Amino acid sequence: MRAPDFTEISRIVLRVLSVTIELINAATSFFPKVNYRRALEPMTGTKKVAVLGSGLMGSCIAVDLLQSNEVSNVTVVDTSEERLKMVQLRASKQPAVPGYSARTDNKDKLETKVFDIVKNEEEFKRFLTGFDLGVGALPHGIAEYAVLSALDSKIDFVDLIYSWRYQDGSAIDSKAKRAGITIIPACGLAPGLTNILAKYGADQMEEVDRVKILVGGIPEVPKPPLNYRIVFAIESVLEEYVRDALIVRDGRRITLPALSEVEELSFADLPDQKFEAFMTDGLSTLPETLKKARSMEEKTIRWKGHAEQIALLFDLGLFSERPINLKRSSSGRVSPRALLATLLEKKLAMHQGDRDMTLLRVDVQGRKRRGDKATRVHEFEMVDRFDNSTQTTSMARTTGYPCSVVAQMILEGKITETGFLPPELAIRDERFDEYLSRLELKGLSIKQKEFLAD
């Protein structure tokens, strides 16, 4: 007689409980929604995660999730078999992270699937139902599609870029709450980690005058042209230079041109090095979740002189999307921006021996108590570098690890709220210290200090 499969029995019991809890949630819609099913689940190491996209960020997230003792399977989906093979290679070489899984067979938990999620919509949704959680590491054009598919499939989902520019999440929020799932948007480096730090700093003050976010990924050694190397999709890089920046100034939401208000800055950990920062559109959900801040802005950091070089490309018309005819060419009409993207993708690609670093500074200025005369600044700062031991770019680490940690905290039942939940609302209060500790274990060290404002 075949022995009973207790794992399958437990899954059936949990599904029955899940349906029961959905009925309770529907009947008590006036109460805050909490994923009781997730909170009650035993930590048995049976969780399955689907990672959508196997580029620099997706592969970093997937390999990190393999370290979790709660995860039994990570399936990475991509249209490129070559990229998926690189994920498998990385997983086979990845050392264990202290404090995480000590198993030597973590790579055996990895599966890959060559699949076009857009061309096979219904099959994709059926595929997602076999997982406890999904992670989106996809291009801007299909990020929303993946989030909505996860919603229809009723699985928890954490995305790197969806709602980069804040979108009204009320429809997704209500649908996710009815399904008893959690959707966390824009949960990478910026937005994501920067939002979490800004919100935590603001929560320590009753009055907030200003939130200023400075962040960027740059080569350790600047090289022409542009003193920059591509560490994520070229179209996303160009979009940062094009899209107007939504900011808050004197209590009002306004937009300013990208690349405007250039300022010089330096970091104590990088003496004698000069950088610059300029306006970009990266506040994401913060204008909605941090309404007490009188002023709020995000700027992108580059090596000094970069903004002027990009402005020259604008002046030459190379950011135009209007197709033009190329002289002495029979290839037809092409947009200057498409041509620029093609050229820069090759010219600015990282090569063997190239190393990148990520710079971050988040300043929150205000008063601890209403009416205090002393204005204080709560500052977070990070300088992260290319990881030689794993050959992982700093941008992949600083984008992927914050996302992976949040996903793992959902799987472990430590984030139980359901609905459309921005990362700065998911990671707060007692969760904040654990979040930073987990990042520290992975080598991301964020310094904090508080001082009187000038």
Side-chain angles (χ1 to χ4, degrees):
M1 180 177 178
R2 186 170 64 90
D5 187 338
F6 291 106
T7 299
E8 182 58 28
I9 291 172
S10 67
R11 286 185 179 275
I12 293 171
V13 171
L14 286 172
R15 280 198 290 269
V16 173
L17 283 174
S18 178
V19 172
T20 304
I21 288 164
E22 283 186 34
L23 293 173
I24 293 172
N25 275 338
T28 58
S29 58
F30 51 90
F31 288 123
K33 292 297 183 290
V34 173
N35 193 327
Y36 299 103
R37 170 186 58 79
R38 189 190 306 140
L40 290 170
E41 280 181 348
M43 296 184 185
T44 55
T46 60
K47 306 296 173 59
K48 299 177 68 177
V49 182
V51 176
L52 310 180
S54 64
L56 290 174
M57 315 309 168
S59 59
C60 180
I61 293 167
V63 172
D64 189 62
L65 285 167
L66 293 174
Q67 302 278 353
S68 170
N69 291 318
E70 309 310 321
V71 174
S72 64
N73 171 268
V74 175
T75 299
V76 186
V77 179
D78 202 301
T79 55
S80 169
E81 186 174 2
E82 191 62 33
R83 284 197 296 265
L84 291 173
K85 287 180 179 178
M86 291 302 296
V87 178
Q88 293 172 326
L89 180 63
R90 285 195 59 190
S92 68
K93 295 181 176 180
Q94 189 76 2
V97 176
Y100 279 71
S101 174
R103 293 169 53 176
T104 58
D105 61 345
N106 281 339
K107 65 181 184 300
D108 297 333
K109 298 193 290 185
L110 176 68
E111 293 183 28
T112 58
K113 182 179 178 67
V114 179
F115 188 63
D116 190 321
I117 66 173
V118 177
K119 292 182 179 179
N120 302 278
E121 182 176 355
E122 292 306 314
E123 185 181 351
F124 174 50
K125 291 178 182 178
R126 287 194 298 272
F127 168 76
L128 286 179
T129 60
F131 295 88
D132 297 284
L133 180 141
V135 176
L138 297 163
H140 280 83
I142 55 176
E144 181 176 7
Y145 167 78
V147 170
L148 296 178
S149 297
L151 195 59
D152 288 340
S153 302
K154 297 184 178 181
I155 69 166
D156 299 319
F157 200 80
V158 183
D159 196 82
L160 286 179
I161 58 176
Y162 178 68
S163 202
W164 186 329
R165 164 68 69 86
Y166 178 73
Q167 302 174 33
D168 182 7
S170 57
I172 291 178
D173 183 59
S174 58
K175 188 173 181 179
K177 285 178 177 175
R178 287 196 300 271
I181 62 173
T182 304
I183 304 290
I184 298 187
C187 193
L189 167 64
L193 173 59
T194 52
N195 294 45
I196 291 169
L197 298 176
K199 183 67 167 66
Y200 180 82
D203 285 347
Q204 312 312 303
M205 301 179 182
E206 289 188 0
E207 293 182 326
V208 178
D209 298 329
R210 188 192 70 181
V211 172
K212 187 171 187 177
I213 297 170
L214 305 170
V215 61
I218 58 176
E220 281 193 355
V221 179
K223 298 177 183 178
L226 305 181
N227 294 331
Y228 183 70
R229 288 292 179 266
I230 295 170
V231 285
F232 54 97
I234 182 60
E235 275 302 331
S236 297
V237 175
L238 298 182
E239 186 66 17
E240 282 193 341
Y241 301 141
V242 171
R243 191 173 58 231
D244 286 345
L246 174 66
I247 69 167
V248 177
R249 189 158 285 178
D250 297 324
R252 294 174 53 247
R253 297 185 193 186
I254 63 172
T255 57
L256 292 177
L259 296 168
S260 62
E261 300 193 7
V262 180
E263 63 178 278
E264 290 186 20
L265 69 153
S266 59
F267 284 76
D269 288 349
L270 299 165
D272 304 322
Q273 304 289 357
K274 296 296 182 182
F275 309 98
E276 66 183 20
F278 45 81
M279 286 292 181
T280 42
D281 186 40
L283 291 180
S284 186
T285 51
L286 275 179
E288 288 293 317
T289 59
L290 187 46
K291 292 183 177 180
K292 68 179 179 181
R294 291 285 299 163
S295 294
M296 187 159 36
E297 65 189 38
E298 190 238 39
K299 290 186 172 184
T300 289
I301 298 173
R302 293 287 187 262
W303 283 101
K304 187 177 177 181
H306 182 82
E308 186 177 6
Q309 293 172 313
I310 296 297
L312 175 61
L313 298 180
F314 268 101
D315 292 342
L316 292 172
L318 291 172
F319 276 85
S320 172
E321 294 184 309
R322 183 177 179 179
I324 60 174
N325 290 314
L326 297 179
K327 289 186 176 181
R328 301 184 184 88
S329 173
S330 59
S331 59
R333 294 165 65 81
V334 63
S335 80
R337 178 166 167 174
L339 178 61
L340 178 65
T342 301
L343 293 172
L344 291 183
E345 191 168 33
K346 295 178 180 178
K347 201 72 175 177
L348 303 182
M350 287 188 68
H351 298 292
Q352 188 71 29
D354 286 341
R355 301 288 184 267
D356 72 321
M357 60 182 178
T358 304
L359 309 180
L360 174 151
R361 180 180 294 150
V362 176
D363 283 347
V364 181
Q365 181 174 308
R367 284 157 297 285
K368 290 283 189 181
R369 288 172 295 277
R370 196 174 303 277
D372 280 357
K373 292 183 179 179
T375 299
R376 307 189 69 84
V377 177
H378 195 128
E379 183 174 272
F380 302 90
E381 193 167 284
M382 177 183 73
V383 175
D384 185 73
R385 297 178 183 273
F386 184 94
D387 188 334
N388 287 302
S389 64
T390 61
Q391 292 295 292
T392 305
T393 65
S394 174
M395 182 54 66
R397 287 160 42 80
T398 56
T399 302
Y401 291 159
C403 179
S404 175
V405 168
V406 169
Q408 290 176 55
M409 292 176 76
I410 293 175
L411 293 171
E412 295 165 10
K414 294 181 177 179
I415 297 173
T416 56
E417 299 92 333
T418 61
F420 183 81
L421 188 66
E424 62 268 26
L425 298 185
I427 304 297
R428 57 192 304 188
D429 302 326
E430 69 280 356
R431 295 174 190 161
F432 181 80
D433 288 337
E434 179 177 353
Y435 175 75
L436 289 194
S437 295
R438 289 186 178 212
L439 294 181
E440 183 79 37
L441 283 173
K442 300 173 189 299
L444 300 188
S445 180
I446 299 169
K447 299 177 182 177
Q448 294 186 60
K449 65 180 178 180
E450 194 171 288
F451 51 90
L452 289 173
D454 295 334

